[in-house]
């Protein structure tokens, strides 16, 4: 066993506290990673607070894991000690089913999430990247292109792939009218990626103060959704909308902004169900869909794409002692635009 020092929640309201636990020994195909940085995704908060159903505690969150290889199993050929690597939202899948074969490991029935899943070897709950080390099978370890500020790459491991995968699937053309709803961790990366793909991006936000940032990030337009009547002039003008909002909001008002045959994809996962009027879809033959992170091949492709296009997350680096405060600020929309934990502090 390998002793790890992490940060865990004991209950939905306990906050995150230091927690020692064991990682499995490094197996033949495993990579032992010393964690340097881990992003705080809103999914960590939903999970810690049991907003998506009752979580298992103690819970060590974290699936935007960036670190250095400190040891490898004897069958590991692609990763050397000292290499900078990443781990995203899952750490196991069957490798054989149709989803795995397609590169959609996240939909494998045996997919094991980085935290809150069941380690297939140890038969114990998986624990995430809010910890000083992690042991992961080589199939789920990503290569990080050299020469980048690592704290700004970490969020790409979830926020990056979650927005890149649906945007790529949308087959955007130069000048496609794309809306990004919610300018948080996912949203700000989505703006950068969609703009890099050539889209004409509009940010839909509840926070008027984010307008200057939205433009700096690559958006051409900015709409404050709380302003009465703000969406009216936009009716029928968007090819595609990516909705990253983490809480309840009016989906029908957003659907109305789509052109005929336009599509809105939800990646934000609010706690409560939301109502969709059939007419929002029927009128204009619009489609509403969803998307869950992305497979390993797509994640590596996204990391390479972002390195080439110089896309990095805008981050606020914190010490582990500040996690509770960062959670509260994220929920309040007060984040620019991703908190990242420096595990060495
Ligand atoms: P985040 O940083 O908190 O950003 C969410 C943004 O949504 C906020 O900054 C805010 O932007 C907007 N918002 C919040 N409350 C709102 C409300 N009541 N009405 C309208 N807008 C509101 O969160 P994140 O880390 O980007 O994650 C966003 C969501 O995606 C979460 O639900 C998360 O669990 C989910 N997620 C899904 C996947 C997936 O695979 N599908 C992967 C990762 C995360 P403005 O201030 O601009 O309005
Ligand atoms: Zn996430
Ligand atoms: Zn599978």
């Amino acid at each position: 066993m390998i002793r790890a020092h992490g940060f865990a929640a004991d209950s939905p309201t306990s906050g995150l506290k230091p927690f020692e636990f064991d990682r499995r020994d490094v197996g033949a195909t495993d990579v032992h990673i010393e964690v340097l940085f881990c992003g705080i995704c809103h999914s960590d908060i939903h999970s810690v607070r049991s907003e998506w159903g009752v979580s298992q505690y103690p819970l060590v969150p974290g699936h935007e894991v960036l670190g250095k290889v400190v040891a490898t199993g004897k069958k590991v050929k692609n990763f050397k000690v000292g290499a900078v690597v990443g781990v995203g939202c899952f750490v196991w899948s069957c490798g054989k089913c149709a989803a795995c074969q397609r590169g959609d490991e996240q939909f494998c029935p045996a997919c094991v999430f980085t935290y809150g899943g069941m380690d297939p070897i140890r038969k114990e709950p998986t624990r995430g990247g809010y910890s000083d080390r992690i042991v992961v099978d080589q199939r789920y370890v990503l290569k990080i292109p050299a020469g980048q500020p690592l704290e700004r790459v970490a969020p790409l491991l979830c926020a990056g792939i979650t927005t890149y995968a649906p945007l790529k699937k949308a087959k955007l053309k130069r000048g496609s009218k794309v809306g990004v709803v919610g300018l948080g961790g996912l949203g700000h990366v989505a703006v950068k990626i969609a703009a890099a793909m050539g889209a004409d991006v509009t940010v839909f936000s509840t926070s008027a103060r984010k307008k200057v940032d939205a433009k700096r990030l690559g958006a051409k337009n900015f709409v404050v959704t709380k302003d009465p009547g703000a969406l009216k002039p936009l009716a029928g003008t968007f090819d595609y909308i990516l909705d990253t909002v983490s809480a309840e909001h009016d989906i029908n008002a957003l659907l109305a902004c789509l052109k005929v045959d336009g599509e809105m994809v939800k990646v934000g996962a609010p706690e409560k169900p939301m109502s969709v009027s059939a007419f929002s879809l029927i009128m204009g033959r619009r489609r509403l869909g969803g998307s869950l992170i992305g497979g390993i091949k797509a994640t590596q492709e996204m990391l390479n794409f972002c390195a080439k296009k110089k896309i990095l997350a805008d981050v606020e680096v914190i010490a582990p002692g500040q996690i509770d405060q960062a959670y509260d600020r994220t929920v309040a929309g007060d984040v620019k635009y991703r908190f990242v934990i420096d595990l060495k502090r």
Side-chain angles (χ1 to χ4, degrees):
M1 295 302 167
I2 297 170
R3 201 68 180 156
H5 299 82
F7 299 87
D10 281 328
S11 79
T13 52
S14 64
L16 279 281
K17 300 208 172 63
F19 174 66
E20 278 190 39
F21 58 101
D22 291 324
R23 297 284 190 193
R24 68 174 185 245
D25 287 325
V26 181
T29 60
D30 281 338
V31 179
H32 178 183
I33 302 162
E34 181 186 33
V35 181
L36 300 173
F37 297 105
C38 185
I40 294 180
C41 176
H42 206 120
S43 301
D44 302 349
I45 304 175
H46 291 305
S47 303
V48 159
R49 298 186 176 176
S50 280
E51 290 173 356
W52 290 338
V54 181
S55 296
Q56 250 198 324
Y57 300 95
L59 173 68
V60 180
H63 58 210
E64 293 181 340
V65 192
L66 207 293
K68 255 190 186 144
V69 176
V70 289
T72 58
K74 57 179 183 298
K75 288 191 182 158
V76 175
K77 296 275 179 285
N78 290 333
F79 298 97
K80 299 271 177 276
V81 170
V84 175
V85 295
V87 177
C89 298
F90 56 91
V91 291
W92 191 261
S93 65
C94 82
K96 299 184 190 103
C97 71
C100 284
Q101 295 291 314
R102 237 180 15 243
D104 274 338
E105 297 93 336
Q106 73 275 28
F107 299 125
C108 169
C111 183
V112 175
F113 288 108
T114 306
Y115 61 83
M118 188 53 68
D119 183 313
I121 294 156
R122 277 198 75 198
K123 311 286 183 219
E124 286 211 357
T126 51
R127 308 204 190 278
Y130 293 15
S131 65
D132 62 349
R133 55 200 64 255
I134 190 165
V135 177
V136 178
D137 185 279
Q138 60 179 345
R139 288 183 294 164
Y140 310 98
V141 179
L142 285 310
K143 292 192 170 164
I144 304 299
Q148 303 181 90
L150 302 184
E151 69 281 9
R152 299 188 63 190
V153 175
L156 300 179
L157 290 151
C158 174
I161 183 60
T162 300
T163 53
Y164 176 84
L167 287 168
K168 188 183 173 203
K169 210 173 168 48
K171 295 196 169 67
L172 303 177
K173 299 189 182 72
R174 187 149 293 279
S176 289
K177 298 270 183 278
V178 170
V180 172
V181 192
L183 197 63
L186 265 55
H188 92 289
V189 176
V191 170
K192 294 186 188 204
I193 291 175
M197 288 175 171
D200 178 329
V201 183
T202 296
V203 168
F204 292 75
S205 173
T206 56
S207 313
R209 65 188 144 77
K210 294 183 181 172
K211 181 173 181 175
V212 176
D213 283 343
K215 298 269 169 88
R216 177 179 54 78
L217 295 165
K220 286 216 174 118
N221 301 302
F222 184 86
V223 191
V224 182
T225 46
K226 277 182 176 165
D227 286 351
L231 299 191
K232 277 246 163 68
L234 302 177
T237 61
F238 284 84
D239 297 295
Y240 186 86
I241 295 178
L242 189 67
D243 180 349
T244 76
V245 173
S246 51
E248 276 177 279
H249 59 291
D250 185 358
I251 291 194
N252 298 298
L254 296 167
L255 286 168
C257 295
L258 290 172
K259 290 179 184 170
V260 172
D261 283 330
E263 182 181 23
M264 178 158 108
V265 168
K266 275 211 65 59
V267 287
E271 179 180 357
K272 298 203 178 92
M274 298 158 81
S275 76
V276 179
S277 158
F279 290 98
S280 301
L281 300 170
I282 293 169
M283 303 305 285
R285 204 164 52 203
R286 297 164 177 134
R287 292 186 308 277
L288 175 62
S291 189
L292 174 70
I293 45 176
I296 291 295
K297 189 163 167 263
T299 306
Q300 190 64 61
E301 181 185 295
M302 174 279 304
L303 288 167
N304 299 346
F305 174 88
C306 289
K308 193 170 148 208
K309 301 278 186 183
K310 301 199 183 330
I311 294 173
L312 293 159
D314 288 22
V315 302
E316 191 172 331
V317 179
I318 60 162
Q322 298 169 285
I323 297 172
D324 294 340
Q325 198 194 350
Y327 275 26
D328 290 340
R329 283 184 53 196
T330 301
V331 171
D334 176 23
V335 48
K336 286 189 164 185
Y337 278 89
R338 193 58 134 193
F339 286 109
V340 172
I341 308 163
D342 179 349
L343 273 306
K344 294 288 179 199
R345 278 208 203 160

